[in-house]
Structure formats: C-alpha cells, structure tokens
Amino acid sequence: MLDPSTLPSWASGWAPTVESRSAAISAHPVAGLAALLDAEPDLATPGSPLPPLWHWVALSQWPPGSHVGPDGHPRTGGFLPATPYPRRMWVGTAVELASAPAIGSDVVVDREVTDLVEKSGKQGDFALVTVTTTIRSSTGEPLVVERNQLAYRQPAAAGGAEQLATPAGPWLSRAGADAWRFAPDPVMLMWFSALTANAHRIHYDAPYATGVEGYPSLLVHGPLMAMILGEVVRRDDADRILASISVRALRPMYLGMTATITRTSDTTLALGADDGPAYMTAEVSYR
C-alpha cells in the first residue's frame, strides 16, 4: 500500500485504486501468438495450460481510443498518476507463477499502482511507477502475480527525429448534424493492423512504404475506411436494420489526410477529402 506522505509533490491529490475485471483465457489470441512464434498450434487447445508470460496476450485489453495519448499509450491521470514526464519506457517485470491458467478458463484480474518514486539519473529526473497485477481463478486460487516497472522520462531534446503532436480529437467524431470527421493517425493504423492480423508494411512501416513501394506516406487501410462508413451508418440509423452494404475504393488515403463522411442520399455515403474528392463510397440497403 502506498503511503501518500511519500509521494512526489506533483502527485498530490492522486490516490491509487484497484482495477478489477473478470476475463476468459481466450484461445484466439493464444493461437495468434503461437503462429507468430512458430510454436505448436495445440497450445491453444481448450484446457491446455497457458505458457509462461503468454497472459500478456491472452488477457490484453485495449483502452478506448479517446483515452490514448500522442505516443500511443493510455493517457495518465486516472489509474496511473499524471507525471510531469511524458516519455514512457517499460523497465522490467517480476512474475510469480503459482499455477498456469487453462485455455478457456475464467479468471479475475486485479491491478494497482503499488509504488511511485521520483529519481534522478544521467538524463535528469524521472518517475518510476510499479504496477502490480494479480490473476486469480474464478474460485479465488492465486495463479500469477507480476510487478511491472514503468519509467516516465523527460521530454526529448529539441531537434529529434519527430516531435509528437497532441491529437486534434477522436479518430471518428461528429462534424455537424449530417457529417462525420475521420482523422486517422499512426496509432490507429497500427491498432487496426493488429486487430485484423494484417502485417502489410505499407500501413505501419513508413520507410518501406515510401522507399520501397513509392507511396508518399503510410496508407490508410481500405477495410478501415469501409468499416468507418459502416460505423457511421450504425450510429446514424440505430433504429433501422441494415440488409447490405457495398463499398468502392476510388483513390488512396494517406496518413496526414483527414476526411469527411457525408450522406449523398438516404442509401449512399461518401468518405472524402475536406476539399471534395472521395476516397471511398458506400451504398446500403435496409430491411
């Protein structure tokens, strides 16, 4: 338990909380990791013990997109203290393995900030945060306890390769009563690539996309734009049942571009540049 009197002055008013959630050891991400590592496919068989440290994949959790900061990590200021140091680095972990969770089993995951100190090193002051995660079976049996250390460091020196800009807002947001704004960034492209198991480098490897394939920047996934069009329909027409959706890609959309989604009729939509040309159109029908 943290002693509030030992916290740095910038953490005044913040207090640690325990986040608890129930989850299942799903076979799908385990099978994905097994494929990535060329491991035995039967590792994902229901009832099989989860290999050491694979809970990082089996129990991974995506934060809401609006909670993600410009570096791709969740913003601090809630569960994690808001430090004056913006650059995050994973330092290390200590993991105690009492028993391996079984594929398909239900578990309870608790996590809490158990240590927070300010230190000084060769590159200046930094904050060291320890997050303790406890995984128990649904009946309370202890399975895994891990203590991860995160370092938050000083801003990068001026003149670095890239200065991160604060995102203008959510990736998909309303732009008026009859329009939506779509503003993807590198984090969204990586996230969608991971969710769809799409390793095509044109979506996340800028030197490859520009130097090998000759594009001006990273490409926004066509399926991502199609999904955005479908999501606009879902949100705008919550009281209608969609029967079909057909999309057509007209021109590529690159990282750095924003788009507006508008209805061109009751059953057609366009996702296009703010100055007019459409990247993709969609036609829908309802039951």
Side-chain angles (χ1 to χ4, degrees):
M1 181 69 67
L2 276 175
D3 180 357
S5 66
T6 66
L7 297 179
S9 58
W10 43 259
S12 176
W14 173 86
T17 58
V18 177
E19 284 191 351
S20 183
R21 65 185 176 99
S22 297
I25 306 295
S26 173
H28 180 69
V30 175
L33 182 56
L36 174 69
L37 301 178
D38 280 325
E40 311 91 289
D42 60 4
L43 286 173
T45 302
S48 299
L50 190 69
L53 304 185
W54 284 37
H55 64 277
W56 290 340
V57 169
L59 295 172
S60 62
Q61 186 178 31
W62 295 94
S66 58
H67 293 186
V68 176
D71 63 352
H73 280 298
R75 298 179 187 273
T76 58
F79 173 78
L80 292 168
T83 79
Y85 311 113
R87 300 171 66 199
R88 171 169 157 166
M89 175 184 292
W90 186 84
V91 177
T93 189
V95 182
E96 300 171 17
L97 303 166
S99 181
I103 306 297
S105 64
D106 295 325
V107 296
V108 177
V109 183
D110 295 333
R111 69 178 193 137
E112 180 182 10
V113 175
T114 52
D115 197 21
L116 169 59
V117 293
E118 190 170 37
K119 293 180 174 287
S120 184
K122 293 181 180 179
Q123 298 182 353
D125 295 341
F126 65 96
L128 195 61
V129 179
T130 301
V131 178
T132 298
T133 300
T134 303
I135 304 173
R136 296 177 282 113
S137 70
S138 58
T139 57
E141 175 191 4
L143 301 174
V144 178
V145 176
E146 68 176 3
R147 295 171 181 83
N148 287 313
Q149 283 196 319
L150 309 172
Y152 288 86
R153 303 184 295 155
Q154 301 275 4
E162 178 184 3
Q163 299 297 316
L164 292 173
T166 302
W171 296 316
L172 179 63
S173 58
R174 281 212 175 267
D178 301 315
W180 292 79
R181 178 178 182 268
F182 176 48
D185 67 8
V187 176
M188 187 183 206
L189 300 191
M190 181 285 303
W191 199 330
F192 191 76
S193 289
L195 286 173
T196 55
N198 182 356
H200 195 177
R201 292 166 64 179
I202 61 174
H203 302 303
Y204 61 86
D205 185 340
Y208 174 85
T210 58
V212 177
E213 299 225 11
Y215 295 116
S217 184
L218 295 176
L219 272 79
V220 179
H221 313 65
L224 174 56
M225 290 190 283
M227 192 166 289
I228 290 296
L229 285 164
E231 181 62 8
V232 166
V233 172
R234 186 189 72 83
R235 296 187 188 187
D236 280 348
D237 299 337
D239 58 343
R240 305 173 75 180
I241 300 175
L242 191 66
S244 68
I245 179 169
S246 176
V247 300
R248 183 182 180 189
L250 301 177
R251 54 181 49 83
M253 180 177 181
Y254 297 103
L255 184 68
M257 298 176 173
T258 60
T260 301
I261 300 103
T262 55
R263 241 13 202 272
T264 53
S265 76
D266 181 55
T267 58
T268 57
L269 301 89
L271 184 154
D274 297 333
D275 58 1
Y279 305 123
M280 182 173 286
T281 58
E283 185 172 348
V284 299
S285 67
Y286 300 92
R287 298 192 190 282

